[in-house]
Amino acid sequence: MNQEKDQDLVHHLAKQGVDDKMVMGHPASLFVLFFTEMWERFSYYGMRALLTVFLITEIVKGGWGWTNAEAMELYAWYTGLVYLTPLIGGMIADKLTGYRKAILWGALIMTLGHASMALEGTSQSFFYLGLVLMILGNGMFKPNISSMVGQLYPDTSAKKDAGYTIFYMGINSGAFLGMLLCGYIGEKVGWHYGFGLAGVFMFFGMVQFYFAQKIFGVIGEKPGTVHKEEEHVHNIQEEDNTPKNIVKDRLVVVAVLMIASIFFFFAFEQAGGSMTIFAKNYTQRVLEGNSGEIFKWVDAALTIFPILIVTWVLFKLSQQIFSKYPLTVIFTAVSFAIIWALGIWKVNREFSVENTEVTVSWFQILNSFFIITLASSFSKLWEKVWNPSGPVKFAFGLILVAVGFLALAYGSMSIPSGAQTASVSMIWLILAYFFHTTGELCVSPVGLSYVSKLSPKKLAGLLFGLWFTASAIANFIAGMTGSYIDQIAEKYSMSTFFLIIAALPIFVALLLLIFNNKLKKMMHGIH
């Protein structure tokens, strides 16, 4: 990355009163947001990795012994509401609190939510209270931290996309470590320890952000604190002289892409639901001999290397900001010391046992792992090799997520109708996560980019809110569909269940390909 200071960026930061210290050619403040988001995603995905498996695990093993259908219905409501509340949280920040206070309040509410869930052994009411607090806190946190990232860069900066890519890596690093460690500790040691651990790191994320607030200058303050000169410039930029018929056409394309995204995420979000059930009850997870030994080394590398990389990022940040913001660095360093201790303990514990039992939640880390390893390749593909239209990229994403379910359908063909358990090779789940991730890279970042490019400036906030709403609908449908896994598997087969999920995205992908030329014309030059 270019280490030299981008003068447009420096001027923009100065206008906002933002510290112009740089880390890897980007504002140091970006990396404060990186670690805040990393720990929040650690907590969210760490808890999500445990939710379904905890609910369906037998009571004698500390779970609640729910049926698959009951667990999936709760999962549907939880994940659906998690993606719906950011619409409200964004409006509260815009009108009342500003981004920074919204992030802090959201982080505090989520920390309390994790603490409440850790007390599930005392009373089931604490578990439900925890879920409610997580939903409310996420609504305040999620939309507002992403907005702060965007405000660190002028629209003309060539580094803006790279800044979001770095931030995206923070999201996936947190998700990866959360699912890996919270999932492992929850399943192997105790559920409440897993739920509680997620909250510990949410707390660290909140505290390190709190002590670094001045690094952001006026970005994220209460509405009305922006300088009048900047407000005038902002108002000029919102003046849009695009003809109404073009605006209407572009909004139709945005609507089509949002509807298509529902079909993608309906399939993709089976990860925490029906695919978790498949991992727990139908996948061979006990490995012996050479296969067990190979897995131990792979798992050790997957545990240690990500921690090593993000520790290096923290070291680079601390070199720039320790003198001004020592408490931010100290609290983040303490959190990393705990992560290192847990990682080394986990690796040592696994090497000390003879037979390896892969945790149910382990499979969910594959999505973040493939994102981190494949994201740059996809961006280079679009940039240098082949850059089709948005609808075509969406179509490929839908086809790829369907291929993942075709792999699961093929792998589960040997499972008899109505079987409660089976021992299918884990290769099918690994393949499914690989194809789902490649599909995500064709849909998720592409969708956000097209919403941004096709939306009139004055409607951008509303349309991003509607994008999250589409995800909320998809998550709800995904969970409710997953609740029929036992009924369909008993009446037909497990393979049929996965074929049904594969069929819907393929159908929508074909429609997008058929109407691609029409949609391209309706974008009026936006590519």
Side-chain angles (χ1 to χ4, degrees), residues 169-188:
M169 290 302 177
I171 290 173
N172 283 284
S173 299
F176 181 90
L177 291 170
M179 290 184 280
L180 188 77
L181 294 173
C182 294
Y184 183 86
I185 288 168
E187 289 186 54
K188 299 269 187 171

Side-chain angles (χ1 to χ4, degrees), residues 140-439:
M140 292 293 283
F141 187 100
K142 190 172 180 65
N144 299 312
I145 193 163
S146 298
S147 299
M148 284 188 70
V149 173
Q151 291 187 18
L152 290 174
Y153 299 86
D155 286 339
T156 54
S157 176
K159 290 187 175 180
K160 191 167 189 172
D161 284 353
Y164 267 110
T165 301
I166 291 169
F167 185 69
Y168 197 53
M169 290 302 177
I171 290 173
N172 283 284
S173 299
F176 181 90
L177 291 170
M179 290 184 280
L180 188 77
L181 294 173
C182 294
Y184 183 86
I185 288 168
E187 289 186 54
K188 299 269 187 171
V189 181
W191 302 107
H192 50 281
Y193 290 112
F195 291 134
L197 181 67
V200 168
F201 290 99
M202 184 69 261
F203 173 77
F204 277 115
M206 175 184 70
V207 172
Q208 68 95 28
F209 179 81
Y210 175 80
F211 286 114
Q213 285 185 84
K214 287 184 180 177
I215 202 170
F216 300 108
V218 298
I219 290 177
E221 287 188 352
K222 276 188 180 181
T225 55
V226 180
H227 302 307
K228 286 190 176 178
E229 179 194 346
E230 291 167 42
E231 196 171 348
H232 176 65
V233 171
H234 181 70
N235 288 336
I236 289 171
Q237 288 172 342
E238 283 208 347
E239 288 178 10
D240 196 343
N241 298 318
T242 309
K244 285 185 178 179
N245 66 310
I246 292 178
V247 171
K248 184 182 174 183
D249 281 356
R250 287 174 177 171
L251 288 175
V252 169
V253 177
V254 171
V256 168
L257 294 180
M258 283 183 182
I259 293 166
S261 78
I262 292 174
F263 286 89
F264 174 84
F265 286 108
F266 138 79
F268 182 84
E269 290 296 339
Q270 297 296 323
S274 63
M275 288 172 71
T276 295
I277 292 168
F278 185 77
K280 181 181 184 296
N281 296 334
Y282 300 97
T283 302
Q284 173 60 35
R285 294 183 292 108
V286 176
L287 305 176
E288 298 173 350
N290 286 338
S291 58
E293 201 65 25
I294 291 167
F295 179 82
K296 285 175 185 177
W297 282 104
V298 169
D299 187 51
L302 286 174
T303 303
I304 298 301
F305 280 115
I307 302 176
L308 198 62
I309 291 165
V310 287
T311 302
W312 178 77
V313 174
L314 174 61
F315 172 71
K316 300 295 285 184
L317 176 64
S318 65
Q319 285 182 311
Q320 297 297 327
I321 72 167
F322 184 78
S323 59
K324 279 191 179 179
Y325 308 99
L327 289 174
T328 288
V329 174
I330 288 167
F331 275 106
T332 311
V334 170
S335 65
F336 270 72
I338 297 170
I339 281 287
W340 271 108
L342 289 172
I344 292 166
W345 166 81
K346 173 183 171 292
V347 169
N348 184 59
R349 189 176 190 267
E350 281 304 293
F351 273 103
S352 66
V353 296
E354 191 172 335
N355 290 334
T356 297
E357 183 177 1
V358 181
T359 59
V360 176
S361 52
W362 182 87
F363 294 96
Q364 291 187 49
I365 73 168
L366 294 170
N367 174 238
S368 293
F369 171 72
F370 288 136
I371 284 274
I372 292 165
T373 52
L374 296 173
S376 61
S377 300
F378 268 75
S379 63
K380 284 175 185 172
L381 171 69
W382 306 139
E383 188 181 336
K384 297 180 178 178
V385 181
W386 184 54
N387 192 23
S389 67
V392 170
K393 287 176 183 172
F394 262 57
F396 273 91
L398 286 156
I399 290 166
L400 286 165
V401 79
V403 170
F405 281 104
L406 291 175
L408 286 175
Y410 181 80
S412 58
M413 282 174 67
S414 61
I415 301 173
S417 299
Q420 298 296 306
T421 58
S423 292
V424 172
S425 169
M426 61 171 22
I427 191 65
W428 303 112
L429 264 176
I430 293 170
L431 275 174
Y433 275 107
F434 172 79
F435 285 115
H436 289 184
T437 305
T438 55

Side-chain angles (χ1 to χ4, degrees), residues 32-245:
V32 173
L33 296 174
F34 173 100
F35 285 116
T36 307
E37 176 72 358
M38 188 179 104
W39 288 141
E40 188 276 330
R41 292 290 87 184
F42 180 103
S43 72
Y44 173 77
Y45 281 101
M47 191 285 288
R48 195 196 78 162
L50 287 173
L51 181 60
T52 299
V53 67
F54 163 71
L55 292 171
I56 64 174
T57 294
E58 301 86 343
I59 294 171
V60 292
K61 293 182 181 177
W64 280 9
W66 283 19
T67 65
N68 291 338
E70 290 168 338
M72 285 296 85
E73 285 171 13
L74 179 63
Y75 179 82
W77 281 105
Y78 172 68
T79 55
L81 289 170
V82 154
Y83 278 91
L84 193 59
T85 50
L87 190 60
I88 301 162
M91 290 163 61
I92 291 171
D94 283 339
K95 304 290 184 188
L96 299 171
T97 63
Y99 299 134
R100 274 152 46 182
K101 279 194 177 173
I103 290 166
L104 286 169
W105 276 111
L108 176 61
I109 293 166
M110 283 190 284
T111 300
L112 294 173
H114 286 296
S116 185
M117 290 184 78
L119 298 172
E120 54 80 22
T122 310
S123 168
Q124 289 192 358
S125 301
F126 281 115
F127 182 82
Y128 294 116
L129 174 62
L131 289 179
V132 171
L133 291 171
M134 291 290 294
I135 290 164
L136 296 175
N138 183 77
M140 292 293 283
F141 187 100
K142 190 172 180 65
N144 299 312
I145 193 163
S146 298
S147 299
M148 284 188 70
V149 173
Q151 291 187 18
L152 290 174
Y153 299 86
D155 286 339
T156 54
S157 176
K159 290 187 175 180
K160 191 167 189 172
D161 284 353
Y164 267 110
T165 301
I166 291 169
F167 185 69
Y168 197 53
M169 290 302 177
I171 290 173
N172 283 284
S173 299
F176 181 90
L177 291 170
M179 290 184 280
L180 188 77
L181 294 173
C182 294
Y184 183 86
I185 288 168
E187 289 186 54
K188 299 269 187 171
V189 181
W191 302 107
H192 50 281
Y193 290 112
F195 291 134
L197 181 67
V200 168
F201 290 99
M202 184 69 261
F203 173 77
F204 277 115
M206 175 184 70
V207 172
Q208 68 95 28
F209 179 81
Y210 175 80
F211 286 114
Q213 285 185 84
K214 287 184 180 177
I215 202 170
F216 300 108
V218 298
I219 290 177
E221 287 188 352
K222 276 188 180 181
T225 55
V226 180
H227 302 307
K228 286 190 176 178
E229 179 194 346
E230 291 167 42
E231 196 171 348
H232 176 65
V233 171
H234 181 70
N235 288 336
I236 289 171
Q237 288 172 342
E238 283 208 347
E239 288 178 10
D240 196 343
N241 298 318
T242 309
K244 285 185 178 179
N245 66 310

